[in-house]
Amino acid sequence: MYEGAVQDLIDELGRLPGVGPKSAQRIAFHLLAADAADVGRLVASLQRVQAEVRFCSICFNVAEADQCRICRDPRRSLDTICVVEEPKDVVAIERTREFRGRYHVLGGAISPIEGIGPDDLKVKELMSRLMDGSVTELIIATDPNLEGEATAAYLARLVSPMGLAVSRLASGLPVGGDLEYADEVTLGRAFEGRRRI
Ligand SMILES: [Zn+2]
């Protein structure tokens, strides 16, 4: 549609998650009109991410060293591991300030449709972290959707012979929501996670 470089940029932007063709075009033309300094900062931060950021050798969270900040923090308890799908989930849970244990980032969820099985995730690595017996509790905080539920069920089954306390995050109904509009997964989980008042 456009000539060379502009179209290449639109194509590259369009490959990013959540960026449709229209957004890709809007971002591309925004960048074309932007100051060279602004574009330079964007390019530099992309290059820095490529060069400096890697994944923690223990939990597979993003890290700027061999181990991430959380795994290096001696104040975090070693007996509880919270399993999440992506590094962004670590950030979300950290924001709640409710959890003082460690994490394990799977790198996705089991999805037969997309051909993603346990071997494509950091499941083996999780199992070897659980082997030495210092972990006593596993909190499975995968997403509350079909893939996340399937992953949670798989992990719960896998670790059941180890005698750990295994829990799944209670997922509630959205505050301010209406019961009749909740989908069955949400409502089912809310029911399961009910507590005495
Ligand atoms: Zn880590």
Side-chain angles (χ1 to χ4, degrees), residues 56 59 68 71:
C56 173
C59 75
C68 73
C71 288

Side-chain angles (χ1 to χ4, degrees), residues 56 58-61 67-68 70-71:
C56 173
I58 297 175
C59 75
F60 303 95
N61 188 12
Q67 294 175 9
C68 73
I70 295 165
C71 288

Side-chain angles (χ1 to χ4, degrees), residues 15-173:
R15 288 167 56 187
L16 300 174
V19 180
K22 273 197 183 144
S23 304
Q25 191 171 313
R26 207 172 63 231
I27 298 166
F29 281 101
H30 169 82
L31 292 171
L32 278 179
D35 283 344
D38 289 342
V39 177
R41 270 200 309 280
L42 176 62
V43 171
S45 68
L46 289 172
Q47 285 169 337
R48 259 194 73 197
V49 159
Q50 271 275 298
E52 296 173 19
V53 179
R54 31 195 173 144
F55 294 98
C56 173
S57 63
I58 297 175
C59 75
F60 303 95
N61 188 12
V62 286
E64 291 203 359
D66 179 57
Q67 294 175 9
C68 73
R69 222 163 3 114
I70 295 165
C71 288
R72 287 201 314 263
D73 185 346
R75 291 165 304 178
R76 308 287 300 222
S77 79
L78 285 160
D79 54 12
T80 311
I81 290 182
C82 177
V83 182
V84 296
E85 293 182 19
E86 307 286 350
K88 65 180 165 56
D89 305 323
V90 172
V91 176
I93 294 172
E94 284 297 284
R95 240 185 281 138
T96 69
R97 300 175 178 276
E98 290 282 334
F99 180 61
R100 300 302 302 157
R102 316 269 172 144
Y103 291 92
H104 191 85
V105 182
L106 292 171
I110 294 170
S111 168
I113 295 168
E114 289 174 58
I116 300 169
D119 291 346
D120 302 305
L121 307 170
K122 303 292 183 194
V123 172
K124 266 198 308 292
E125 292 81 353
L126 173 64
M127 293 310 282
S128 59
R129 285 180 75 184
L130 299 177
M131 282 306 170
D132 72 357
S134 57
V135 177
T136 55
E137 186 181 355
L138 198 65
I139 300 169
I140 305 178
T142 50
D143 287 345
N145 54 29
L146 284 178
E147 293 79 13
E149 295 292 340
T151 309
Y154 174 82
L155 291 177
R157 221 173 26 244
L158 196 65
V159 303
S160 69
M162 305 177 101
L164 301 168
V166 181
S167 56
R168 175 97 176 92
L169 288 192
S171 79
L173 297 158

